[in-house]
Amino acid sequence: MALRMSTLFLRTLREDPSDAEVPSHRLLVRGGYVRRAAPGIFSWLPLGWLVYRNVERIVREEMDRAGFQEVHFPALLPREPYEATSRWTEYGDTLFRLRDRRNADYLLGPTHEELFTLLVKDLYSSYRDLPLSLYQIQTKYRDEARPRAGVLRGREFVMKDSYSFDIDDAGLDRSYEAHRAAYLRTFDRLGLSYEIVDAMSGAMGGSASEEFLAPTPVGEDSFVRCTTCGYAANAEAVQIAPAKPVDATAVPAAHVEDTPDTPTIATLVDLLNSREDLARDDRPWAAADTLKNVVVTLRHPDGTTESLAVGVPGDRDVDLKRLEAAVTPAEVEPFTDDDFAARPQLAKGYIGPGALGAEHGIRFLLDPRISDGTRWVTGADVHGRHVVDLVVGRDFTADGTIDVADIRDGDPCPSCDGTLTLARGIEIGHIFKLGRRYAEALDLTVQDEAGGQITVTMGSYGIGVTRAVAAIAEQTHDDAGLCWPRSVTPVDIHVVATGKDDTPFDAAEAVIGELEDAGLSVLYDDRRVSAGVKFNDADLLGAPTIVVLGRGLQRGVAEIKDRATGDRTDIDLAEVATYLTDLVRAG
Ligand code: ATP
Ligand code: MG
């Protein structure tokens, strides 16, 4: 195949699109790979679609190799199965809902656990039919709150989703491992670097779950890795070791102090350290001695709301993503001025345990570091006043604990005495031991050996196919443009002919003919524009090998440039096709 730039449906852009926040989005739009059709909704142009199809092909080949069978479900789905699993409600605003002409409710599938479960229930009835793994590669719809970064987070996107069906947990373990192994092969072939991290499994009601994250600074997920042991987890899933209770018999009684103009932790700590009567004998006061209470509103899927206060040591913040993950499917909303007005016992900036807790209609949960017997400086529920030496368990109790404070580089590892490093990544895949939640909700049982009925045990496994295209771009691009790995590049070779007369163009045609005969795909810049424009476009478009037919022709050579390394080699014109064919076949 040879695509000619003079006729190719492509316009590269010199300027960055104004709404592009991350390099992959910028470059995929500038390179004419995708175009925005609506917020979070994209059209794929010829070069983009070639890359997309390569990614899709690799994903499919690895699923097939693992013995999973491909099916294809509709994207337009009836409400009832999602009602049965509560997800019609739990998905909240993320679900695209619609009505047909008879006023029946439908949705555009955000993921398909329900439909797969029902199909297997429809056709299978015996333990002898299992294990089974089915998959599809299909367009999904989610009305994301923050569609962002181009195809990285779309409202319409393609996912490969698989589902496994087993008679027991041991079977699920095997199916899960088979998917994990297939994912390793898939992401390796896609040229992605990735980390496998523990993920939250609470929301879907399953037991174990891991995410594949492609590390990049623009990733939306934060994850940690231990410097000593093998621990790695999405920051959402990190559970710190709860602090042990301490003895508080020597702590003086709590006392309220005037602390004017101390709305922030820093101003409070400065004031404490400037007051001789409050001096500690062991060390100066620190932010970690203060208890900060953050109040938010939780909106539950059924529309009801609830106030929640989270107490964290003052040197930490509540991490919104960790909080959202901990309370899902409820959504977190900031406490507004109206909310404060409705709860006059809360003195903004000086909120203490005295105004919190079930008796005040505000559920109060503490960070696990705040154990019984620990002493704190915290708000006295009056503007300009704080309470000192307030002891947990002695002076107040909370309604429970919640582990949602931010995780920091250098924090202790929860599973050994090492420390954690923090980085960011893009979630490219997610594997999940679902257990029996969906099978129970939709009554998927099979007959067991003894003739009884057993509920089927399921797993679900996703890969973001369109997201993977952008993740690859994100990890491989450089300042000049895209830089595709051979496995997914839209074309094997980008041929550039430069010069005013026909010689380089004739030479290019000859080389391209040979490359096509050898089965290589070629993008040929046959435009009569300046060499500079062509070189810039070749760098922007990112084919792994660029062949220049220009000045070198006088010496009988073509110049071969490796897009990724920038290395250049002159090759005799007669050898070019063989040389390039070997290069491409070597992978
Ligand atoms: P995220 O946390 O990024 O919203 P998720 O955990 O909701 O993703 P899953 O339900 O696990 O996503 O979906 C499986 C895979 O589908 C994800 O690992 C990701 O690669 C991809 N994916 C999910 N949402 C989107 C989206 N809005 N746009 C593109 N790809 C997506
Ligand atoms: Mg996920």
Side-chain angles (χ1 to χ4, degrees):
M1 177 190 68
L3 301 170
R4 283 155 209 276
M5 296 265 288
S6 59
T7 52
L8 182 63
F9 187 57
L10 168 74
R11 286 289 174 271
T12 56
L13 309 179
R14 218 173 291 171
E15 302 294 327
D16 288 336
S18 59
D19 62 340
E21 303 161 47
V22 303
S24 60
H25 185 192
R26 217 174 65 219
L27 293 170
L28 288 171
V29 173
R30 277 190 51 207
Y33 282 75
V34 300
R35 290 295 287 177
R36 196 186 86 130
I41 304 178
F42 289 84
S43 310
W44 293 81
L45 307 189
L47 293 180
W49 196 238
L50 286 167
V51 177
Y52 168 82
R53 278 166 48 199
N54 285 334
V55 172
E56 193 196 74
R57 173 179 47 77
I58 289 171
V59 171
R60 177 175 284 116
E61 282 172 6
E62 291 305 327
M63 296 303 116
D64 291 344
R65 182 206 296 264
F68 313 148
Q69 301 173 58
E70 185 168 6
V71 295
H72 199 78
F73 280 83
L76 180 61
L77 304 172
R79 168 179 174 159
E80 290 70 26
Y82 286 77
E83 193 73 72
T85 58
S86 306
R87 294 213 293 184
W88 175 261
T89 316
E90 277 176 16
Y91 257 108
D93 289 341
T94 304
L95 204 60
F96 277 104
R97 299 154 204 267
L98 56 166
R99 289 233 163 100
D100 72 2
R101 63 172 77 214
R102 291 183 186 80
N103 239 358
D105 282 320
Y106 282 80
L107 62 119
L108 295 177
T111 170
H112 280 66
E113 279 77 5
E114 284 80 353
L115 276 286
F116 277 80
T117 309
L118 288 174
L119 186 69
V120 173
K121 175 180 166 169
D122 212 7
L123 296 177
Y124 274 9
S125 57
S126 162
Y127 71 94
R128 281 194 213 90
D129 298 326
L130 303 181
L132 170 71
S133 283
L134 300 174
Y135 78 97
Q136 65 174 344
I137 296 176
Q138 198 225 25
T139 306
K140 305 282 190 219
Y141 297 86
R142 295 182 185 180
D143 196 357
E144 299 275 0
R146 293 177 284 271
R148 174 183 174 272
V151 296
L152 274 181
R153 179 173 298 283
R155 298 197 297 161
E156 176 183 285
F157 60 96
V158 177
M159 192 200 291
K160 184 290 301 172
D161 47 327
S162 320
Y163 305 86
S164 65
F165 301 86
D166 283 277
I167 52 165
D168 55 20
D169 288 347
L172 172 59
D173 290 348
R174 283 190 294 275
S175 296
Y176 183 90
E177 282 312 315
H179 278 88
R180 199 175 191 275
Y183 276 36
L184 296 177
R185 295 187 58 98
T186 305
F187 293 128
D188 285 343
R189 284 183 64 191
L190 291 176
L192 281 162
S193 78
Y194 55 89
E195 294 278 343
I196 304 175
V197 305
D198 293 348
M200 287 286 279
S201 41
M204 297 264 265
S207 52
S209 155
E210 288 169 298
E211 283 167 354
F212 291 72
L213 299 183
T216 134
V218 307
E220 279 187 80
D221 284 275
S222 297
F223 68 98
V224 296
R225 225 178 346 207
C226 178
T227 50
T228 313
C229 71
Y231 180 81
N234 192 308
E236 290 175 4
V238 173
Q239 293 193 321
I240 66 161
K244 297 212 166 57
V246 296
D247 178 30
T249 41
V251 182
H255 45 108
V256 174
E257 299 290 337
D258 277 326
T259 54
D261 303 324
T262 54
T264 64
I265 299 289
T267 52
L268 173 63
V269 171
D270 284 348
L271 179 126
L272 293 170
N273 282 323
S274 71
R275 287 256 310 258
E276 269 173 38
D277 59 323
L278 296 178
R280 303 173 59 114
D281 357 323
D282 50 348
R283 56 173 173 77
W285 292 100
D289 300 318
T290 68
L291 168 62
K292 176 162 73 183
N293 300 301
V294 179
V295 193
V296 296
T297 299
L298 299 187
R299 182 171 298 278
H300 295 288
D302 62 6
T304 60
T305 59
E306 179 192 3
S307 301
L308 171 71
V310 179
V312 294
D315 62 332
R316 304 234 168 211
D317 287 316
V318 170
D319 179 327
L320 198 61
K321 281 199 80 177
R322 274 170 50 79
L323 177 58
E324 281 172 347
V327 301
T328 190
E331 284 176 9
V332 179
E333 294 172 2
F335 222 61
T336 62
D337 288 342
D338 286 348
D339 293 326
F340 275 107
R343 299 197 180 281
Q345 87 267 24
L346 297 178
K348 201 172 172 180
Y350 299 89
I351 299 173
L356 305 173
E359 67 275 27
H360 298 282
I362 302 175
R363 187 145 63 104
F364 183 32
L365 301 175
L366 290 176
D367 182 87
R369 295 172 186 83
I370 305 175
S371 60
D372 274 357
T374 51
R375 58 196 271 207
W376 301 89
V377 179
T378 188
D381 303 309
V382 181
H383 278 279
R385 308 196 86 188
H386 279 91
V387 49
V388 182
D389 291 328
L390 195 74
V391 172
V392 186
R394 183 188 75 179
D395 302 325
F396 75 98
T397 51
D399 302 316
T401 57
I402 188 167
D403 187 6
V404 295
D406 52 6
I407 302 291
R408 306 238 177 100
D409 217 47
D411 274 351
C413 172
S415 72
C416 76
D417 26 345
T419 52
L420 299 178
T421 55
L422 189 65
R424 301 187 75 86
I426 297 167
E427 182 189 324
I428 45 176
H430 193 169
I431 53 177
F432 208 117
K433 291 184 185 173
L434 279 181
R436 285 172 278 274
R437 168 178 168 178
Y438 290 87
E440 267 160 15
L442 298 165
D443 193 27
L444 169 60
T445 62
V446 291
Q447 200 168 56
D448 66 14
E449 252 172 301
Q453 289 289 312
I454 42 167
T455 303
V456 170
T457 300
M458 293 171 56
S460 94
Y461 316 88
I463 291 179
V465 183
T466 42
R467 180 180 283 187
V469 173
I472 295 166
E474 202 59 61
Q475 281 192 338
T476 54
H477 79 278
D478 61 20
D479 288 344
L482 296 160
C483 220
W484 297 110
R486 281 222 181 276
S487 59
V488 303
T489 181
V491 291
D492 296 317
I493 310 289
H494 186 133
V495 175
V496 175
T498 66
K500 294 233 155 42
D501 61 35
D502 288 341
T503 321
F505 295 87
D506 294 341
E509 293 290 354
V511 169
I512 289 165
E514 288 182 72
L515 295 177
E516 283 190 273
D517 289 344
L520 272 53
S521 59
V522 180
L523 177 60
Y524 171 31
D525 199 342
D526 58 340
R527 296 173 300 172
R528 301 282 174 148
V529 298
S530 78
V533 167
K534 293 185 176 197
F535 294 149
N536 284 342
D537 274 348
D539 282 345
L540 172 63
L541 294 174
T545 305
I546 299 164
V547 178
V548 181
L549 295 156
R551 265 181 293 193
L553 287 176
Q554 285 163 1
R555 290 179 289 122
V557 299
E559 189 182 80
I560 317 279
K561 177 178 157 185
D562 183 304
R563 173 65 186 85
T565 62
D567 292 347
R568 289 158 202 273
T569 329
D570 284 345
I571 301 289
D572 275 348
L573 214 46
E575 312 289 321
V576 171
T578 323
Y579 176 86
L580 292 174
T581 307
D582 290 347
L583 199 66
V584 170
R585 297 219 171 116

